[in-house]
Amino acid sequence: MWPLTVPPPPPLLLLLLCSGLAGQTLFQSPEEGWQLYTSAQAPDGKCICTAVIPAQSTCSRDGRSQELRQLMEKVQNVSQSMEVLELRTYRDLQYVRSMETLMRSLDARLRVADGSLSAKSFQELKDRMTELLPLSSVLEQYKADTRTIVRLREEVRNLSSSLAAIQEEMGAYGYEDLQQRVMALEARLHACAQKLGCGKLTGVSNPITIRAMGSRFGSWMTDTMAPSTDSRVWYMDGYYKGRRVLEFRTLGDFIKGQNFIQHLLPQPWAGTGHVVYNGSLFYNKYQSNVVVKYHFRSRSVLVQRSLPGAGYNNTFPYSWGGFSDMDFMVDESGLWAVYTTNQNAGNIVVSRLDPHTLEVLRSWDTGYPKRSAGEAFMICGVLYVTNSHLAGAKVYFAYFTNTSSYEYTDVPFHNQYSHISMLDYNPRERALYTWNNGHQVLYNVTLFHVISTAGDP
């Protein structure tokens, strides 16, 4: 196995080593804290785990960290209150200064008065006195601000005491030093997880809703072969006769609905089983069994090819219909097509495709009826099939292309919006992309590994 030696952890890191088996979490829901990246079991029965810490949230489930965040929020609130006081005090000071000039003028007028004032002079004094009326409210505000300052001083004193107590409890590890140690550990865990590679699906996380956009049916995806710096998102609303593909610059832009360009496909699509792979979109041409490879940069079709014997036009769709006869997928080993032929009596066929020529390299008959499947996805050369597209669905069937064998599984997942019309695995992010009743949703997955110790065959 690959040893992961870590120096003795400070108290805040103990949670990492005591966590149970869980799944990789690159997409973090706000409620979740530390998550295991992947899991492995050595032949001697020892469990080896790697983990990812949520970005911008160090040790989020630790009590001391929660207190630190609460204190930081209080400090921010105090800072904002001080800024408001400063602005208001500056404004009031300017007003008092202007009133000071006016009061000096009135005082001079009263000193030179001989005991009797003309009607005109009296009116002028009355008008000036009217201008002084707001001064009383300003002085009252000063009194209130004084009380606020006393309260803020007390909060700062309490914050200082709390921070000193936390620092003493942490011992030699300062907060910044601890954060640096966590970041270094996270990088090492990522590297270790990459060595583990493929595994068997054992769990699907709770759904993480990214956005609610579009109609009931559609698909969205990222490029499974793009570098980590490329986070473009493609969005295709509808399940038939569509030609409009939106390309968003980042996932954040997709969430906000900004910074996108439009591609108009030369030929309309059918279904929702599209996939973006190495800069190109692979999709089923409407009312045909033709696979189209459309290159985004050149905005042109590079190649198209008929998939021999494949049903189309709702001949062999998934249980939800929607012209889902042909479903294209990408996993760690390459490009796949899932479909059905008359010769296979309506059972799911898995074919490995050459991404350059779209030629079928090899096919497998899974024996599972496609109309009984809700959706399907590939992970590490294994086809996983759900038993429904509705609420209560679970991953029910797995077909292993490396051994041409299958097994029935029982991996539940939460179908939050009750109608999944697209379900695809992204090997780069190790996450499931779904279109669920007009919602774009992500699931993280747990992969189980059996590895050998160093020196074993």
Side-chain angles (χ1 to χ4, degrees):
M1 62 181 177
W2 299 274
L4 177 61
T5 57
V6 182
L12 289 178
L13 295 182
L14 288 178
L15 180 61
L16 168 66
L17 303 183
C18 298
S19 299
L21 296 181
Q24 173 196 11
T25 302
L26 293 183
F27 297 98
Q28 185 71 31
S29 61
E31 297 81 10
E32 293 178 336
W34 292 60
Q35 299 291 321
L36 290 184
Y37 185 87
T38 188
S39 312
Q41 188 174 31
D44 60 2
K46 292 182 179 179
C47 177
I48 304 168
C49 304
T50 59
V52 167
I53 302 147
Q56 308 301 325
S57 177
T58 305
C59 310
S60 62
R61 289 184 182 173
D62 181 79
R64 296 289 84 186
S65 178
Q66 291 180 1
E67 288 190 32
L68 278 175
R69 285 197 302 276
Q70 292 171 359
L71 290 175
M72 291 172 66
E73 291 174 0
K74 289 183 179 179
V75 170
Q76 185 177 10
N77 292 335
V78 170
S79 299
Q80 291 174 348
S81 299
M82 295 295 288
E83 289 177 4
V84 172
L85 280 174
E86 183 180 4
L87 290 173
R88 191 163 60 211
T89 302
Y90 177 79
R91 179 199 64 193
D92 293 344
L93 181 61
Q94 295 299 110
Y95 176 76
V96 171
R97 285 176 177 173
S98 66
M99 290 301 100
E100 182 181 12
T101 303
L102 178 58
M103 293 177 68
R104 286 178 178 176
S105 174
L106 287 173
D107 182 66
R109 292 286 298 276
L110 291 172
R111 285 179 183 277
V112 299
D114 56 2
S116 62
L117 293 172
S118 64
K120 181 179 180 181
S121 298
F122 179 78
Q123 185 61 42
E124 289 179 356
L125 287 174
K126 186 178 180 181
D127 292 340
R128 292 300 178 90
M129 291 298 294
T130 302
E131 294 181 28
L132 287 173
L133 289 177
L135 184 60
S136 61
S137 62
V138 172
L139 294 175
E140 288 298 323
Q141 184 64 60
Y142 264 135
K143 294 179 183 178
D145 288 348
T146 301
R147 292 191 294 270
T148 302
I149 289 174
V150 172
R151 179 178 58 82
L152 291 176
R153 187 183 297 116
E154 184 64 25
E155 285 192 27
V156 170
R157 186 180 297 111
N158 294 336
L159 288 173
S160 299
S161 301
S162 299
L163 287 171
I166 291 177
Q167 181 66 36
E168 182 178 356
E169 183 172 338
M170 283 184 173
Y173 294 101
Y175 184 73
E176 292 185 0
D177 179 46
L178 181 62
Q179 191 172 36
Q180 292 298 322
R181 290 169 61 87
V182 169
M183 292 175 63
L185 180 61
E186 177 184 355
R188 297 177 66 183
L189 292 173
H190 271 293
C192 183
Q194 292 302 317
K195 293 180 180 179
L196 288 174
C198 277
K200 181 180 178 180
L201 179 70
T202 58
V204 178
S205 75
N206 286 326
I208 303 168
T209 300
I210 301 300
R211 189 177 181 189
M213 177 183 179
S215 65
R216 192 178 188 185
F217 312 96
S219 60
W220 70 295
M221 64 216 83
T222 59
D223 191 338
T224 58
M225 285 287 288
S228 58
T229 54
D230 184 352
S231 59
R232 287 177 295 171
V233 175
W234 285 270
Y235 169 90
M236 301 169 69
D237 191 12
Y239 65 86
Y240 77 108
K241 297 177 67 174
R243 296 175 57 199
R244 182 169 173 259
V245 182
L246 300 185
E247 176 187 312
F248 293 84
R249 187 176 60 185
T250 65
L251 181 63
D253 289 330
F254 173 70
I255 294 172
K256 297 175 182 177
Q258 64 184 20
N259 296 325
F260 65 87
I261 60 176
Q262 176 176 293
H263 299 270
L264 193 63
L265 300 178
Q267 299 160 332
W269 72 68
T272 59
H274 331 298
V275 70
V276 176
Y277 180 58
N278 200 21
S280 294
L281 172 70
F282 296 80
Y283 70 96
N284 175 209
K285 179 182 175 183
Y286 179 59
Q287 289 189 329
S288 74
N289 61 3
V290 172
V291 186
V292 179
K293 179 182 180 181
Y294 175 84
H295 189 242
F296 284 116
R297 179 173 294 181
S298 65
R299 294 179 178 264
S300 63
V301 173
L302 298 185
V303 62
Q304 55 184 340
R305 179 187 291 267
S306 176
L307 203 56
Y312 62 92
N313 205 29
N314 265 342
T315 303
F316 297 113
Y318 289 124
S319 60
W320 64 274
F323 296 88
S324 56
D325 303 78
M326 298 170 64
D327 193 0
F328 302 103
M329 309 171 183
V330 171
D331 70 353
E332 291 80 358
S333 55
L335 177 65
W336 303 81
V338 170
Y339 56 98
T340 297
T341 68
N342 286 319
Q343 291 78 7
N344 293 92
N347 293 329
I348 291 178
V349 176
V350 183
S351 290
R352 178 81 181 274
L353 301 183
D354 184 317
H356 303 290
T357 65
L358 301 182
E359 180 183 358
V360 174
L361 302 178
R362 184 179 174 185
S363 296
W364 293 261
D365 182 352
T366 66
Y368 193 92
K370 192 164 186 289
R371 286 183 175 274
S372 298
E375 273 287 346
F377 55 93
M378 296 287 297
I379 299 181
C380 301
V382 180
L383 178 72
Y384 295 95
V385 181
T386 68
N387 62 343
S388 174
H389 62 283
L390 302 173
K394 61 183 178 180
V395 181
Y396 181 72
F397 178 85
Y399 186 87
F400 304 89
T401 58
N402 62 334
T403 59
S404 299
S405 62
Y406 69 90
E407 69 178 21
Y408 289 94
T409 61
D410 187 9
V411 181
F413 67 94
H414 181 38
N415 187 347
Q416 185 171 4
Y417 304 106
S418 303
H419 196 288
I420 291 178
S421 59
M422 170 253 179
L423 179 59
D424 240 346
Y425 172 70
N426 187 307
R428 184 184 72 169
E429 295 151 359
R430 292 191 179 179
L432 295 174
Y433 280 62
T434 68
W435 187 293
N436 195 336
N437 213 358
H439 298 77
Q440 292 74 49
V441 181
L442 289 170
Y443 294 86
N444 298 301
V445 298
T446 301
L447 302 181
F448 178 81
H449 309 262
V450 177
I451 57 177
S452 299
T453 56
D456 289 347

Short mmCIF file of all heavy atoms in Angstrom, two decimals, residues 355-402:
data_model
loop_
_atom_site.label_atom_id
_atom_site.label_comp_id
_atom_site.label_asym_id
_atom_site.label_seq_id
_atom_site.Cartn_x
_atom_site.Cartn_y
_atom_site.Cartn_z
N PRO A 355 -13.19 7.63 -29.27
CA PRO A 355 -13.66 9.02 -29.26
C PRO A 355 -13.30 9.80 -30.52
O PRO A 355 -13.88 10.86 -30.77
CB PRO A 355 -12.96 9.61 -28.03
CG PRO A 355 -11.77 8.73 -27.81
CD PRO A 355 -12.18 7.36 -28.25
N HIS A 356 -12.36 9.30 -31.31
CA HIS A 356 -11.96 10.01 -32.53
C HIS A 356 -12.82 9.61 -33.73
O HIS A 356 -13.22 10.46 -34.53
CB HIS A 356 -10.48 9.73 -32.82
CG HIS A 356 -9.57 10.11 -31.71
ND1 HIS A 356 -9.32 11.42 -31.34
CD2 HIS A 356 -8.84 9.33 -30.84
CE1 HIS A 356 -8.48 11.44 -30.32
NE2 HIS A 356 -8.17 10.18 -30.00
N THR A 357 -13.11 8.31 -33.85
CA THR A 357 -13.84 7.83 -35.01
C THR A 357 -15.28 7.42 -34.70
O THR A 357 -16.07 7.20 -35.62
CB THR A 357 -13.12 6.61 -35.61
OG1 THR A 357 -13.16 5.53 -34.65
CG2 THR A 357 -11.66 6.94 -35.93
N LEU A 358 -15.60 7.29 -33.41
CA LEU A 358 -16.90 6.81 -32.94
C LEU A 358 -17.15 5.34 -33.30
O LEU A 358 -18.28 4.86 -33.22
CB LEU A 358 -18.05 7.69 -33.47
CG LEU A 358 -17.98 9.16 -33.07
CD1 LEU A 358 -19.18 9.92 -33.62
CD2 LEU A 358 -17.91 9.31 -31.55
N GLU A 359 -16.11 4.65 -33.67
CA GLU A 359 -16.22 3.22 -33.97
C GLU A 359 -16.42 2.44 -32.68
O GLU A 359 -15.84 2.75 -31.64
CB GLU A 359 -14.95 2.74 -34.68
CG GLU A 359 -14.96 1.26 -35.04
CD GLU A 359 -13.65 0.82 -35.67
OE1 GLU A 359 -12.75 1.67 -35.85
OE2 GLU A 359 -13.54 -0.39 -35.98
N VAL A 360 -17.27 1.40 -32.74
CA VAL A 360 -17.49 0.54 -31.59
C VAL A 360 -16.29 -0.38 -31.42
O VAL A 360 -15.96 -1.17 -32.32
CB VAL A 360 -18.77 -0.29 -31.75
CG1 VAL A 360 -18.91 -1.29 -30.61
CG2 VAL A 360 -19.99 0.63 -31.80
N LEU A 361 -15.63 -0.30 -30.27
CA LEU A 361 -14.45 -1.12 -30.00
C LEU A 361 -14.84 -2.49 -29.43
O LEU A 361 -14.24 -3.50 -29.78
CB LEU A 361 -13.52 -0.40 -29.03
CG LEU A 361 -13.02 0.98 -29.49
CD1 LEU A 361 -12.15 1.61 -28.42
CD2 LEU A 361 -12.26 0.86 -30.80
N ARG A 362 -15.85 -2.49 -28.55
CA ARG A 362 -16.32 -3.75 -27.98
C ARG A 362 -17.69 -3.50 -27.35
O ARG A 362 -17.98 -2.40 -26.90
CB ARG A 362 -15.34 -4.29 -26.93
CG ARG A 362 -15.76 -5.66 -26.39
CD ARG A 362 -14.77 -6.20 -25.37
NE ARG A 362 -15.27 -7.44 -24.77
CZ ARG A 362 -14.68 -8.10 -23.79
NH1 ARG A 362 -13.53 -7.64 -23.29
NH2 ARG A 362 -15.19 -9.20 -23.29
N SER A 363 -18.52 -4.55 -27.33
CA SER A 363 -19.87 -4.42 -26.77
C SER A 363 -20.15 -5.54 -25.77
O SER A 363 -19.58 -6.63 -25.89
CB SER A 363 -20.94 -4.44 -27.87
OG SER A 363 -20.81 -3.33 -28.72
N TRP A 364 -21.03 -5.26 -24.81
CA TRP A 364 -21.46 -6.24 -23.82
C TRP A 364 -22.98 -6.20 -23.72
O TRP A 364 -23.59 -5.13 -23.68
CB TRP A 364 -20.89 -5.91 -22.44
CG TRP A 364 -19.40 -6.04 -22.30
CD1 TRP A 364 -18.71 -7.07 -21.76
CD2 TRP A 364 -18.42 -5.04 -22.66
NE1 TRP A 364 -17.36 -6.81 -21.77
CE2 TRP A 364 -17.15 -5.57 -22.33
CE3 TRP A 364 -18.48 -3.78 -23.26
CZ2 TRP A 364 -15.97 -4.87 -22.55
CZ3 TRP A 364 -17.31 -3.09 -23.48
CH2 TRP A 364 -16.07 -3.64 -23.13
N ASP A 365 -23.60 -7.37 -23.66
CA ASP A 365 -25.04 -7.47 -23.41
C ASP A 365 -25.22 -7.71 -21.92
O ASP A 365 -24.84 -8.76 -21.39
CB ASP A 365 -25.63 -8.63 -24.22
CG ASP A 365 -27.14 -8.75 -24.04
OD1 ASP A 365 -27.70 -8.04 -23.17
OD2 ASP A 365 -27.76 -9.55 -24.75
N THR A 366 -25.81 -6.74 -21.23
CA THR A 366 -25.91 -6.83 -19.77
C THR A 366 -27.04 -7.74 -19.31
O THR A 366 -27.04 -8.20 -18.16
CB THR A 366 -26.15 -5.44 -19.17
OG1 THR A 366 -27.44 -4.96 -19.58
CG2 THR A 366 -25.08 -4.46 -19.62
N GLY A 367 -28.04 -7.97 -20.16
CA GLY A 367 -29.18 -8.78 -19.77
C GLY A 367 -30.23 -8.03 -18.96
O GLY A 367 -31.24 -8.61 -18.56
N TYR A 368 -30.02 -6.74 -18.73
CA TYR A 368 -30.97 -5.96 -17.94
C TYR A 368 -31.89 -5.17 -18.88
O TYR A 368 -31.42 -4.43 -19.74
CB TYR A 368 -30.23 -4.99 -17.02
CG TYR A 368 -31.12 -4.36 -15.96
CD1 TYR A 368 -31.23 -4.95 -14.70
CD2 TYR A 368 -31.85 -3.20 -16.20
CE1 TYR A 368 -32.04 -4.40 -13.72
CE2 TYR A 368 -32.66 -2.64 -15.23
CZ TYR A 368 -32.75 -3.25 -13.99
OH TYR A 368 -33.56 -2.70 -13.03
N PRO A 369 -33.23 -5.32 -18.75
CA PRO A 369 -34.15 -4.62 -19.66
C PRO A 369 -34.09 -3.11 -19.47
O PRO A 369 -34.24 -2.60 -18.35
CB PRO A 369 -35.52 -5.18 -19.25
CG PRO A 369 -35.35 -5.71 -17.86
CD PRO A 369 -33.93 -6.16 -17.76
N LYS A 370 -33.88 -2.40 -20.57
CA LYS A 370 -33.66 -0.95 -20.48
C LYS A 370 -34.90 -0.21 -20.02
O LYS A 370 -34.82 0.79 -19.30
CB LYS A 370 -33.19 -0.40 -21.82
CG LYS A 370 -32.66 1.03 -21.74
CD LYS A 370 -31.87 1.38 -22.98
CE LYS A 370 -31.21 2.75 -22.85
NZ LYS A 370 -32.15 3.85 -22.90
N ARG A 371 -36.07 -0.67 -20.41
CA ARG A 371 -37.30 0.02 -20.01
C ARG A 371 -37.56 -0.10 -18.51
O ARG A 371 -38.39 0.62 -17.97
CB ARG A 371 -38.50 -0.53 -20.80
CG ARG A 371 -38.53 -0.07 -22.25
CD ARG A 371 -39.78 -0.57 -22.95
NE ARG A 371 -39.90 -0.05 -24.31
CZ ARG A 371 -40.46 1.12 -24.60
NH1 ARG A 371 -40.97 1.87 -23.63
NH2 ARG A 371 -40.55 1.54 -25.84
N SER A 372 -36.86 -1.00 -17.85
CA SER A 372 -37.01 -1.14 -16.39
C SER A 372 -35.99 -0.30 -15.64
O SER A 372 -35.99 -0.27 -14.40
CB SER A 372 -36.85 -2.61 -15.97
OG SER A 372 -37.86 -3.40 -16.55
N ALA A 373 -35.11 0.37 -16.38
CA ALA A 373 -34.06 1.18 -15.76
C ALA A 373 -34.50 2.63 -15.68
O ALA A 373 -35.05 3.18 -16.64
CB ALA A 373 -32.77 1.07 -16.56
N GLY A 374 -34.26 3.26 -14.53
CA GLY A 374 -34.55 4.68 -14.41
C GLY A 374 -33.49 5.51 -15.11
O GLY A 374 -33.78 6.40 -15.92
N GLU A 375 -32.23 5.24 -14.82
CA GLU A 375 -31.07 5.87 -15.44
C GLU A 375 -29.88 4.95 -15.23
O GLU A 375 -29.99 3.92 -14.55
CB GLU A 375 -30.80 7.26 -14.84
CG GLU A 375 -31.57 8.41 -15.48
CD GLU A 375 -31.04 8.76 -16.87
OE1 GLU A 375 -29.92 8.30 -17.21
OE2 GLU A 375 -31.74 9.47 -17.62
N ALA A 376 -28.72 5.33 -15.81
CA ALA A 376 -27.52 4.52 -15.66
C ALA A 376 -26.29 5.41 -15.76
O ALA A 376 -26.34 6.50 -16.32
CB ALA A 376 -27.47 3.42 -16.72
N PHE A 377 -25.18 4.93 -15.20
CA PHE A 377 -23.92 5.67 -15.28
C PHE A 377 -22.76 4.68 -15.15
O PHE A 377 -22.92 3.57 -14.64
CB PHE A 377 -23.83 6.75 -14.19
CG PHE A 377 -24.03 6.24 -12.80
CD1 PHE A 377 -22.94 5.86 -12.01
CD2 PHE A 377 -25.30 6.15 -12.24
CE1 PHE A 377 -23.12 5.40 -10.71
CE2 PHE A 377 -25.50 5.70 -10.95
CZ PHE A 377 -24.41 5.32 -10.18
N MET A 378 -21.59 5.08 -15.65
CA MET A 378 -20.39 4.24 -15.63
C MET A 378 -19.39 4.78 -14.63
O MET A 378 -19.11 5.97 -14.60
CB MET A 378 -19.73 4.20 -17.01
CG MET A 378 -20.55 3.57 -18.12
SD MET A 378 -20.68 1.76 -18.01
CE MET A 378 -18.97 1.27 -18.19
N ILE A 379 -18.81 3.88 -13.81
CA ILE A 379 -17.68 4.21 -12.94
C ILE A 379 -16.67 3.08 -13.06
O ILE A 379 -16.99 1.92 -12.78
CB ILE A 379 -18.11 4.37 -11.47
CG1 ILE A 379 -19.12 5.52 -11.30
CG2 ILE A 379 -16.90 4.63 -10.59
CD1 ILE A 379 -19.57 5.73 -9.86
N CYS A 380 -15.47 3.40 -13.49
CA CYS A 380 -14.37 2.42 -13.53
C CYS A 380 -14.75 1.16 -14.32
O CYS A 380 -14.46 0.04 -13.90
CB CYS A 380 -13.95 2.04 -12.12
SG CYS A 380 -13.37 3.43 -11.13
N GLY A 381 -15.40 1.33 -15.47
CA GLY A 381 -15.75 0.20 -16.31
C GLY A 381 -16.93 -0.60 -15.83
O GLY A 381 -17.21 -1.67 -16.38
N VAL A 382 -17.64 -0.10 -14.83
CA VAL A 382 -18.82 -0.79 -14.29
C VAL A 382 -20.05 0.05 -14.60
O VAL A 382 -20.08 1.24 -14.31
CB VAL A 382 -18.71 -1.02 -12.78
CG1 VAL A 382 -19.94 -1.75 -12.26
CG2 VAL A 382 -17.44 -1.80 -12.45
N LEU A 383 -21.07 -0.57 -15.19
CA LEU A 383 -22.33 0.11 -15.45
C LEU A 383 -23.24 -0.07 -14.25
O LEU A 383 -23.55 -1.19 -13.84
CB LEU A 383 -23.01 -0.47 -16.70
CG LEU A 383 -24.37 0.15 -17.02
CD1 LEU A 383 -24.19 1.57 -17.56
CD2 LEU A 383 -25.14 -0.70 -18.02
N TYR A 384 -23.66 1.05 -13.66
CA TYR A 384 -24.59 1.04 -12.55
C TYR A 384 -25.96 1.51 -13.04
O TYR A 384 -26.06 2.53 -13.72
CB TYR A 384 -24.10 1.92 -11.41
CG TYR A 384 -22.82 1.43 -10.77
CD1 TYR A 384 -21.58 1.92 -11.17
CD2 TYR A 384 -22.86 0.46 -9.78
CE1 TYR A 384 -20.41 1.46 -10.59
CE2 TYR A 384 -21.69 -0.01 -9.18
CZ TYR A 384 -20.47 0.50 -9.59
OH TYR A 384 -19.30 0.03 -9.02
N VAL A 385 -27.00 0.78 -12.68
CA VAL A 385 -28.35 1.05 -13.17
C VAL A 385 -29.27 1.29 -11.98
O VAL A 385 -29.24 0.54 -11.00
CB VAL A 385 -28.88 -0.14 -14.01
CG1 VAL A 385 -30.28 0.14 -14.53
CG2 VAL A 385 -27.92 -0.44 -15.16
N THR A 386 -30.10 2.33 -12.09
CA THR A 386 -31.10 2.58 -11.05
C THR A 386 -32.40 1.88 -11.44
O THR A 386 -32.69 1.68 -12.62
CB THR A 386 -31.35 4.08 -10.85
OG1 THR A 386 -32.00 4.62 -12.01
CG2 THR A 386 -30.05 4.82 -10.62
N ASN A 387 -33.19 1.55 -10.44
CA ASN A 387 -34.44 0.83 -10.71
C ASN A 387 -35.63 1.74 -10.95
O ASN A 387 -36.73 1.27 -11.23
CB ASN A 387 -34.76 -0.12 -9.54
CG ASN A 387 -34.99 0.65 -8.24
OD1 ASN A 387 -34.63 1.81 -8.11
ND2 ASN A 387 -35.59 -0.03 -7.26
N SER A 388 -35.41 3.05 -10.86
CA SER A 388 -36.51 4.00 -11.08
C SER A 388 -35.94 5.39 -11.28
O SER A 388 -34.79 5.67 -10.90
CB SER A 388 -37.48 3.99 -9.90
OG SER A 388 -38.47 5.00 -10.05
N HIS A 389 -36.75 6.26 -11.88
CA HIS A 389 -36.38 7.66 -11.99
C HIS A 389 -37.17 8.50 -10.99
O HIS A 389 -37.00 9.73 -10.94
CB HIS A 389 -36.66 8.18 -13.41
CG HIS A 389 -38.11 8.11 -13.80
ND1 HIS A 389 -38.73 6.94 -14.19
CD2 HIS A 389 -39.07 9.07 -13.86
CE1 HIS A 389 -40.00 7.18 -14.47
NE2 HIS A 389 -40.23 8.46 -14.28
N LEU A 390 -38.01 7.86 -10.19
CA LEU A 390 -38.89 8.56 -9.26
C LEU A 390 -38.35 8.46 -7.83
O LEU A 390 -37.28 7.91 -7.59
CB LEU A 390 -40.30 7.96 -9.35
CG LEU A 390 -40.95 8.00 -10.74
CD1 LEU A 390 -42.27 7.24 -10.74
CD2 LEU A 390 -41.17 9.44 -11.19
N ALA A 391 -39.12 9.00 -6.88
CA ALA A 391 -38.73 8.93 -5.47
C ALA A 391 -38.60 7.48 -5.03
O ALA A 391 -39.34 6.61 -5.48
CB ALA A 391 -39.77 9.66 -4.61
N GLY A 392 -37.64 7.21 -4.16
CA GLY A 392 -37.40 5.85 -3.70
C GLY A 392 -36.44 5.06 -4.56
O GLY A 392 -36.22 3.87 -4.32
N ALA A 393 -35.87 5.70 -5.57
CA ALA A 393 -34.94 5.01 -6.46
C ALA A 393 -33.66 4.62 -5.72
O ALA A 393 -33.28 5.23 -4.73
CB ALA A 393 -34.61 5.89 -7.66
N LYS A 394 -33.01 3.58 -6.24
CA LYS A 394 -31.72 3.18 -5.71
C LYS A 394 -30.90 2.55 -6.84
O LYS A 394 -31.43 2.17 -7.89
CB LYS A 394 -31.89 2.18 -4.57
CG LYS A 394 -32.59 0.89 -4.96
CD LYS A 394 -32.77 -0.01 -3.74
CE LYS A 394 -33.53 -1.29 -4.11
NZ LYS A 394 -33.71 -2.17 -2.92
N VAL A 395 -29.60 2.47 -6.64
CA VAL A 395 -28.73 1.78 -7.59
C VAL A 395 -28.93 0.29 -7.37
O VAL A 395 -28.58 -0.25 -6.32
CB VAL A 395 -27.27 2.19 -7.40
CG1 VAL A 395 -26.38 1.48 -8.42
CG2 VAL A 395 -27.11 3.69 -7.52
N TYR A 396 -29.50 -0.37 -8.37
CA TYR A 396 -30.06 -1.71 -8.19
C TYR A 396 -29.25 -2.80 -8.90
O TYR A 396 -29.32 -3.96 -8.52
CB TYR A 396 -31.49 -1.70 -8.71
CG TYR A 396 -32.24 -3.00 -8.59
CD1 TYR A 396 -32.68 -3.48 -7.35
CD2 TYR A 396 -32.52 -3.76 -9.72
CE1 TYR A 396 -33.38 -4.66 -7.25
CE2 TYR A 396 -33.22 -4.95 -9.64
CZ TYR A 396 -33.64 -5.40 -8.39
OH TYR A 396 -34.34 -6.57 -8.30
N PHE A 397 -28.47 -2.41 -9.91
CA PHE A 397 -27.83 -3.41 -10.76
C PHE A 397 -26.46 -2.88 -11.17
O PHE A 397 -26.30 -1.69 -11.46
CB PHE A 397 -28.70 -3.66 -11.99
CG PHE A 397 -28.14 -4.63 -13.00
CD1 PHE A 397 -28.32 -5.99 -12.86
CD2 PHE A 397 -27.44 -4.17 -14.11
CE1 PHE A 397 -27.82 -6.89 -13.80
CE2 PHE A 397 -26.93 -5.04 -15.06
CZ PHE A 397 -27.12 -6.41 -14.91
N ALA A 398 -25.46 -3.77 -11.22
CA ALA A 398 -24.12 -3.40 -11.65
C ALA A 398 -23.59 -4.45 -12.62
O ALA A 398 -23.68 -5.65 -12.34
CB ALA A 398 -23.18 -3.28 -10.44
N TYR A 399 -23.05 -3.97 -13.74
CA TYR A 399 -22.47 -4.88 -14.73
C TYR A 399 -20.99 -4.55 -14.88
O TYR A 399 -20.60 -3.41 -15.17
CB TYR A 399 -23.16 -4.74 -16.09
CG TYR A 399 -22.69 -5.78 -17.09
CD1 TYR A 399 -23.29 -7.03 -17.14
CD2 TYR A 399 -21.64 -5.51 -17.95
CE1 TYR A 399 -22.84 -7.99 -18.04
CE2 TYR A 399 -21.18 -6.46 -18.84
CZ TYR A 399 -21.79 -7.71 -18.89
OH TYR A 399 -21.35 -8.66 -19.77
N PHE A 400 -20.14 -5.59 -14.69
CA PHE A 400 -18.69 -5.41 -14.71
C PHE A 400 -18.14 -5.81 -16.08
O PHE A 400 -18.11 -7.01 -16.42
CB PHE A 400 -18.04 -6.26 -13.61
CG PHE A 400 -18.59 -5.96 -12.23
CD1 PHE A 400 -19.71 -6.64 -11.75
CD2 PHE A 400 -18.00 -5.00 -11.43
CE1 PHE A 400 -20.22 -6.37 -10.49
CE2 PHE A 400 -18.50 -4.72 -10.17
CZ PHE A 400 -19.62 -5.40 -9.70
N THR A 401 -17.69 -4.82 -16.85
CA THR A 401 -17.21 -5.13 -18.20
C THR A 401 -15.89 -5.89 -18.18
O THR A 401 -15.57 -6.61 -19.13
CB THR A 401 -17.03 -3.83 -19.01
OG1 THR A 401 -16.11 -2.95 -18.33
CG2 THR A 401 -18.36 -3.11 -19.17
N ASN A 402 -15.10 -5.75 -17.11
CA ASN A 402 -13.81 -6.44 -17.09
C ASN A 402 -13.96 -7.95 -16.93
O ASN A 402 -13.10 -8.73 -17.34
CB ASN A 402 -12.92 -5.87 -15.99
CG ASN A 402 -13.52 -6.05 -14.61
OD1 ASN A 402 -14.74 -6.15 -14.46
ND2 ASN A 402 -12.67 -6.06 -13.58
#
